[in-house]
Amino acid sequence: MTPLVTTLILFGMLIVLLFFGAPLLVAIGLPTAVVMLLSGMNIVTFAQRMFVAVDSFSMMAIPFFMLAGKLMEVGGMSRRIVRFADCLVGWMRGGLAHVIVVASAFFGALSGSAAATCAAIGSTLIPEMKKKNYPADFVAGLQAVAGGLGVIIPPSITMIMYGVCSHTSIGDLFVAGILPGIFLAVCLMGTVRIEAGKRHIEQTSTFSLKELGKSFLDAVPALLVPVIILGGIYGGFFSPTEAGAVACVYGFLVSKFWYKEINSSNIGSIFGGALVNTVMVLIICSASGAFSWLLTSNGVSSLLGNAVGSIATNKFTFLLICNIIFLIVGCFIESVAGILIVTPILLPQALALGVDPVHFGIIMVVNLALGLTTPPVGENQYIAAAIADIPFEQEFKASLPFLLTNFIALLVITYFEPLSTWLPSIL
């Protein structure tokens, strides 16, 4: 079967299945199995490639960070981070709206997941803000977009997948995500300030150095998590995978013996939630890995990569086209699957044009994070709308100013490479 025919069948079936609402596992796995059968391959090869896709030491970081995020969410860390963020920025115009951004950034440094960040911070802040007469659509739209910080600020499950797929240092990717994540958070806070002025939202508290100090001391164990993870990786004490295990042990000990919020009544839900999330991610990874292998082995990756390369003959144009592709993919495909499908196609061309692989990974991750806030996938939008108990359409409309801000920030991250590469280079 020629690469062109393989491309038409694979992507044609994928688009049709997604259009009719098929689960992502089916939309990716079925075209892969069909092409293998038409190519005369043994269907056992499909199962083998699914297994090989997740048979990696680095992939073990995913269940570890999933469990660590659940431990920290249920164990009281998220609530203390919200309180610290409130004392830190709640006195600004827009009040608790700024707290959503800062708390999401902090919690993203604990969980590595956008959906977990959106759910944990949103379930704490959105009901509270509604009680204080904040517009429900405004706070839900902001939370949906701010939740994307969970996959940009390290640790990040999406970065782990890109590192595995591209053979790029996961530690470098983690460090590279710090400045772009902070930059996006600052841009969102600027937009909050503007929107708060339009909606006549005033600050709801006053600054208190004493309260800030008390909330900081209470949140120190939670704030130490990213320091331990990144410090341990760059200090050579453990690998990114081992860092996930360390985060689990640390999160359990702090939540159980310091905050004393983990007990026999909730430990089952913590492990159960982490198990479900892990299985969902890994089964999509396995099907996407088989899909990706088929793209490469049948020459489809080279065909599509060369097609993009023939249009984009310089780095500027290539990165612009990549952004468009990533944004479209993010609208329809979950970020982990998007990484595994798109990376083999575009990374060789990026390297040929002199794009740093770490910088390219950050661009891809930021784009796919935006995909988590854009329909029809847009899981953050659905989570925030459900928490706020408002129609999805109303919530999405209110999120548009924040999405626009992220799109502009994305262009800065894309074309100002030191924002991603400076920290890894000095470390």
Side-chain angles (χ1 to χ4, degrees), residues 331-389:
C331 285
F332 295 94
I333 299 178
E334 195 269 342
S335 58
V336 169
I339 288 282
L340 290 171
I341 292 172
V342 176
T343 301
I345 296 173
L346 296 176
L347 183 60
Q349 289 295 324
L351 297 177
L353 290 171
V355 179
D356 185 284
V358 171
H359 178 53
F360 191 69
I362 296 301
I363 294 171
M364 191 181 298
V365 168
V366 173
N367 270 285
L368 294 175
L370 289 178
L372 295 169
T373 58
T374 51
V377 175
E379 58 183 334
N380 278 12
Q381 298 277 8
Y382 298 108
I383 291 171
I387 294 172
D389 193 24

Side-chain angles (χ1 to χ4, degrees), residues 40-250:
M41 298 182 188
N42 191 323
I43 194 62
V44 174
T45 305
F46 181 47
Q48 290 173 336
R49 298 317 307 183
M50 289 183 71
F51 174 77
V52 169
V54 294
D55 183 24
S56 164
F57 179 71
S58 298
M59 292 287 283
M60 290 176 62
I62 293 177
F64 285 136
F65 280 116
M66 286 287 190
L67 177 56
K70 273 292 179 183
L71 287 165
M72 294 165 192
E73 176 186 342
V74 178
M77 290 190 179
S78 61
R79 192 173 68 255
R80 285 165 175 84
I81 282 176
V82 166
R83 180 172 171 244
F84 172 61
D86 187 18
C87 294
L88 187 66
V89 298
W91 52 272
M92 298 180 181
R93 182 164 190 171
L96 289 174
H98 290 292
V99 178
I100 284 181
V101 179
V102 175
S104 295
F106 280 137
F107 192 78
L110 306 184
S111 70
S113 165
T117 300
C118 188
I121 304 302
S123 60
T124 302
L125 279 176
I126 291 176
E128 182 67 21
M129 294 175 73
K130 287 177 68 178
K131 290 178 185 175
K132 294 185 177 182
N133 297 319
Y134 280 78
D137 59 341
F138 169 72
V139 295
L142 172 60
Q143 181 61 78
V145 177
L149 296 171
V151 298
I152 300 169
I153 295 177
S156 164
I157 292 168
T158 310
M159 288 180 188
I160 293 170
M161 290 310 309
Y162 174 79
V164 171
C165 189
S166 65
H167 306 290
T168 304
S169 166
I170 295 173
D172 283 351
L173 288 166
F174 279 3
V175 174
I178 295 174
L179 290 182
I182 293 173
F183 175 66
L184 281 166
V186 170
C187 290
L188 283 176
M189 290 180 70
T191 308
V192 165
R193 177 65 180 79
I194 296 170
E195 290 296 306
K198 290 180 179 178
R199 293 173 178 259
H200 306 291
I201 298 172
E202 301 295 335
Q203 63 266 41
T204 55
S205 62
T206 56
F207 180 77
S208 169
L209 187 60
K210 180 181 178 181
E211 287 299 314
L212 177 62
K214 287 172 62 177
S215 65
F216 172 74
L217 291 175
D218 196 29
V220 162
L223 297 174
L224 282 176
V225 173
V227 176
I228 292 171
I229 291 173
L230 296 178
I233 292 171
Y234 265 82
F237 297 106
F238 40 74
S239 69
T241 300
E242 293 162 343
V246 170
C248 287
V249 174
Y250 178 82

Side-chain angles (χ1 to χ4, degrees), residues 19 24 27 38 75 95 115 121 141 144 185 192 215 255 262 283 289 320 348 363 387:
F19 178 79
L24 187 57
L38 293 177
I121 304 302
V192 165
S215 65
S255 300
I262 288 183
I283 199 167
L320 181 62
I363 294 171
I387 294 172

Side-chain angles (χ1 to χ4, degrees), residues 145 168 262 279 371 406 412 427:
V145 177
T168 304
I262 288 183
V279 170
N406 272 8
V412 176
L427 293 175

